[in-house]
Amino acid sequence: MAMSSENEHPVKAFGWAARDSSGHLSPFKFSRRATQEKDVTFKVLYCGICHSDLHNVKNKWGITSYPVIPGHEIVGVVTEVGTKVTKFKVGDKVGIGCMVGSCRSCANCKDNLENYCPKMILSYGTKYYDGTITHGGYSDIMVSDEHFVIKIPDNLPLDGGAPLLCAGITVYSPLKYYGLDKVGMHLGVVGLGGLGHMAVKFAKAMGLKVTVISTSPNKKEEAMDHLGADGFLVSRNIEEMQSAMDTMDGIIDTVSAVHALLPLIGLLKTNGKLVMVGAPDKPLELPVLPLLLGRKIVGGSGIGGIKETQEMIDFAAKHNIVADIEVIPMDYVNTAMERLLKADVKYRFVIDIANSLKPI
């Protein structure tokens, strides 16, 4: 087994980075830390492109520090483990999602909710414990504390499995937490993109009746015939929306653009739950009276803790759930970002890092 001692020199690495708010990505040399005693180092094979990667490289949230190497849907094969690693060995298939660190001592961390730790360290663009800035999966290798590494079951394809580490857990966690995972429940899914198509797949595997709600009538065939949704509503069609009022136990809203919540609240039964997982950059209008009249809830959810992420991956492997993907070479990434901006992908780009990222 390949082991590494502490205090070795940093390891040379390469990837693609954005250097300014144009968001243009190009080859970039950098260093990873040597494998420490609790670290797992792995060769990156695939990395999904998340919508938040696009926001980050263009500094849409005003928090990006350049250069930035994006990517938090990262899968590969372990090449080295630290002397005190217990959960992984060389050759294991593994993944890293949105985070690589947390305080491990706050109430959230102790409750397996590292994703809500005030000191959570994101997989890229965040200061790590040693003062360096984290770099994501558009790169040849990753190094992470074993606590934040996910084991990928052998039967789960790595390319289609990569997006589960962000898009998958983002919809799985609220289904579980808000109790929207009971057989026979009726779930609405707003938006049929990277998150929405995963919500449909997980909900159907849990035994739910699923209705997709979209502004695009042309997505009906895709939603029902390909993804297996039971119903489809065009949100702009007032008659369709009214016919479905008071029928849903819950709704997972994946839309990150500004949109009306009142029609969605109307679809909920008494005690229904509208859960937001998309992140519009402007505030939405929330009418309160319809909440009072039906004891309805509007909630939110952001990714999931490490324990739950592993649970989600194992569930996906058991039920053969993977993302619908378009695999691309590394040098196509800027075109892919442009297409993502126009929602021109079904439903997730995944970069074939191992076969297309060329050393600099």
Side-chain angles (χ1 to χ4, degrees):
M1 182 180 288
M3 294 280 193
S4 181
S5 59
E6 289 189 65
N7 303 319
E8 290 184 12
H9 296 296
V11 178
K12 290 180 180 177
F14 55 92
W16 279 48
R19 292 166 170 81
D20 56 50
S21 60
S22 70
H24 182 82
L25 292 132
S26 57
F28 181 72
K29 290 181 181 178
F30 66 106
S31 297
R32 295 278 188 203
R33 69 177 181 274
T35 309
Q36 304 296 293
E37 63 181 14
K38 292 287 287 179
D39 281 345
V40 172
T41 295
F42 67 90
K43 173 183 170 66
V44 178
L45 299 183
Y46 297 98
C47 185
I49 299 180
C50 178
H51 214 281
S52 58
D53 295 347
L54 181 61
H55 284 298
N56 271 294
V57 298
K58 291 181 176 290
N59 197 24
K60 292 295 186 184
W61 292 324
I63 56 172
T64 305
S65 57
Y66 297 98
V68 60
I69 299 176
H72 59 209
E73 300 178 343
I74 316 159
V75 293
V77 175
V78 176
T79 56
E80 190 173 39
V81 296
T83 54
K84 292 187 178 177
V85 167
T86 60
K87 292 189 267 185
F88 301 96
K89 63 183 186 303
V90 171
D92 283 352
K93 295 177 183 177
V94 295
I96 288 176
C98 301
M99 57 185 163
V100 292
S102 69
C103 78
R104 309 283 295 277
S105 59
C106 69
N108 285 331
C109 284
K110 288 178 178 177
D111 200 23
N112 297 307
L113 296 172
E114 302 93 339
N115 50 314
Y116 299 122
C117 174
K119 296 180 180 178
M120 177 180 65
I121 299 172
L122 297 172
S123 299
Y124 67 87
T126 309
K127 189 174 285 189
Y128 199 65
Y129 307 117
D130 59 8
T132 61
I133 299 298
T134 57
H135 294 305
Y138 297 14
S139 58
D140 62 333
I141 60 170
M142 289 292 295
V143 184
S144 171
D145 183 291
E146 72 167 334
H147 180 79
F148 295 91
V149 179
I150 304 299
K151 188 169 179 58
I152 308 293
D154 284 338
N155 69 315
L156 189 69
L158 289 179
D159 52 0
L164 298 176
L165 293 164
C166 174
I169 188 60
T170 296
V171 298
Y172 179 90
S173 184
L175 287 173
K176 300 294 284 188
Y177 175 75
Y178 288 98
L180 300 173
D181 59 346
K182 310 294 187 295
V183 174
M185 278 186 164
H186 185 190
L187 181 80
V189 174
V190 188
L192 197 62
L195 293 175
H197 94 289
M198 292 307 322
V200 174
K201 291 188 178 196
F202 275 107
K204 288 302 297 180
M206 292 171 180
L208 276 63
K209 175 185 176 183
V210 179
T211 296
V212 170
I213 304 152
S214 174
T215 58
S216 308
N218 57 2
K219 289 188 176 180
K220 181 174 183 177
E221 185 178 344
E222 177 78 11
M224 299 187 71
D225 296 347
H226 175 63
L227 294 173
D230 302 282
F232 187 89
L233 297 173
V234 178
S235 56
R236 293 180 176 137
N237 186 318
I238 296 172
E239 287 182 7
E240 277 190 22
M241 294 291 283
Q242 286 183 338
S243 70
M245 285 182 71
D246 304 315
T247 63
M248 297 180 188
D249 298 285
I251 296 173
I252 300 290
D253 187 342
T254 72
V255 175
S256 54
V258 173
H259 59 291
L261 298 183
L262 180 60
L264 302 178
I265 293 169
L267 297 175
L268 294 171
K269 297 176 183 175
T270 301
N271 301 322
K273 299 161 185 174
L274 170 60
V275 186
M276 314 298 292
V277 296
D281 53 12
K282 293 177 182 172
L284 304 184
E285 187 173 309
L286 179 62
V288 172
L289 188 60
L291 302 180
L292 308 185
L293 297 177
R295 200 163 64 176
K296 298 174 183 180
I297 291 173
V298 177
S301 185
I303 57 172
I306 296 301
K307 182 180 179 183
E308 188 173 49
T309 301
Q310 186 67 62
E311 177 189 297
M312 176 276 304
I313 284 286
D314 294 342
F315 181 93
K318 181 180 178 182
H319 295 274
N320 299 309
I321 297 172
V322 291
D324 287 12
I325 59 171
E326 181 177 334
V327 178
I328 62 167
M330 189 72 245
D331 61 8
Y332 187 79
V333 67
N334 290 302
T335 303
M337 290 285 190
E338 291 172 14
R339 286 179 55 194
L340 185 59
L341 193 59
K342 296 181 272 190
D344 177 24
V345 59
K346 285 184 179 177
Y347 284 96
R348 208 63 153 188
F349 287 116
V350 173
I351 306 167
D352 183 352
I353 299 287
N355 291 314
S356 68
L357 177 60
K358 297 175 175 62
I360 303 164

